[in-house]
Amino acid sequence: MASKDDIRSSRRLHRRTFTPEHIATAGESLARHGTAWAAELSPGGAATFAVYLGVAFEPPTIPLIESLHEAGHQVLLPVCEPGRLLSWVYWTPSTAFVRSAYAPIDEPEGERLESTVIAKAAGIFMPATAVDRDGNRIGQGGGYYDRLLQGLDAAGQRPPTIAVVYDDDLLPSGSIPAEAFDRPVRQVLTPSGVVQLHDGPEPA
């Protein structure tokens, strides 16, 4: 079995072969399927969803963020803090972005809220470089989301989570080594649609 670092590097190299047209089309499809997933989780109407800003060759999430906002939902975007912690900022169309001091991502400017706000969200869209069909996820290597989910799981307050990847970033079962601190996901959002990995609930 390949290491997480090897898989992460391989997927990043593969993503660099994508054309701007491929990436743009993927963003439109992710927005459509992601907004439909959000609607299923919020049958009463507007809700709050945690998303993230996809940069470079990552699956683009701006179309999803804008689509959720147009559907009446509130969107929270992450800010990296010391100690591999995340804070969160509510996004609006006027939100400005700056480069993170702690990770290779762009972050929103605005009032920063502690991660306890995520416990009240209807769902979390999570970044990933790969996910296997057992639900094991490889992120960017910083450990921010694993730590976030550990805290939510410990409190029994984890909202539904869905990892966002390109279609061929979804790997066969057993492809990704699982470690004790990992928090598996049960659903994956790809340009082709939402993939349900298991019938059971997410671990609490």
Side-chain angles (χ1 to χ4, degrees), residues 57-141:
F57 292 92
E58 290 183 310
T61 56
I62 281 291
L64 171 62
I65 291 167
E66 292 174 343
S67 179
L68 291 171
H69 178 77
E70 291 169 2
H73 302 300
Q74 289 186 301
V75 175
L76 285 163
L77 298 182
V79 175
C80 295
E81 304 284 6
R84 296 187 177 183
L85 297 176
L86 293 174
S87 60
W88 299 85
V89 173
Y90 280 107
W91 177 89
T92 72
S94 62
T95 297
F97 289 90
V98 296
R99 198 65 172 173
S100 171
Y102 300 100
I105 61 172
D106 292 332
E107 298 175 332
E109 292 185 316
E111 180 185 0
R112 298 185 183 185
L113 306 173
E114 294 183 356
S115 279
T116 50
V117 70
I118 301 301
K120 299 177 182 178
I124 305 172
F125 292 88
M126 296 178 56
T129 54
V131 180
D132 70 14
R133 288 189 175 272
D134 298 316
N136 297 313
R137 165 189 163 272
I138 297 178
Q140 298 295 348

Side-chain angles (χ1 to χ4, degrees), residues 2-204:
S3 70
K4 286 185 176 181
D5 285 342
D6 287 343
I7 296 170
R8 185 181 292 113
S9 296
S10 174
R11 298 320 303 170
R12 285 174 173 169
L13 285 173
H14 178 68
R15 288 177 174 184
R16 289 183 179 275
T17 67
F18 294 163
T19 64
E21 292 77 16
H22 178 93
I23 294 172
T25 299
E28 294 172 0
S29 297
L30 290 169
R32 183 172 67 256
H33 296 302
T35 303
W37 182 76
E40 292 179 0
L41 294 179
S42 55
T48 298
F49 290 90
V51 197
Y52 68 97
L53 185 67
V55 297
F57 292 92
E58 290 183 310
T61 56
I62 281 291
L64 171 62
I65 291 167
E66 292 174 343
S67 179
L68 291 171
H69 178 77
E70 291 169 2
H73 302 300
Q74 289 186 301
V75 175
L76 285 163
L77 298 182
V79 175
C80 295
E81 304 284 6
R84 296 187 177 183
L85 297 176
L86 293 174
S87 60
W88 299 85
V89 173
Y90 280 107
W91 177 89
T92 72
S94 62
T95 297
F97 289 90
V98 296
R99 198 65 172 173
S100 171
Y102 300 100
I105 61 172
D106 292 332
E107 298 175 332
E109 292 185 316
E111 180 185 0
R112 298 185 183 185
L113 306 173
E114 294 183 356
S115 279
T116 50
V117 70
I118 301 301
K120 299 177 182 178
I124 305 172
F125 292 88
M126 296 178 56
T129 54
V131 180
D132 70 14
R133 288 189 175 272
D134 298 316
N136 297 313
R137 165 189 163 272
I138 297 178
Q140 298 295 348
Y144 288 90
Y145 276 86
D146 285 323
R147 183 156 186 174
L148 169 69
L149 295 185
Q150 285 175 0
L152 293 170
D153 286 347
Q157 296 178 322
R158 178 175 173 181
T161 57
I162 191 166
V164 183
V165 295
Y166 292 105
D167 290 296
D168 50 8
D169 293 328
L170 180 56
L171 308 179
S173 294
S175 296
I176 296 176
E179 301 177 70
F181 57 80
D182 288 333
R183 291 297 183 266
V185 295
R186 293 292 174 255
Q187 292 180 299
V188 176
L189 174 62
T190 75
S192 293
V194 173
V195 180
Q196 181 73 42
L197 301 180
H198 295 278
D199 294 330
E202 289 178 308

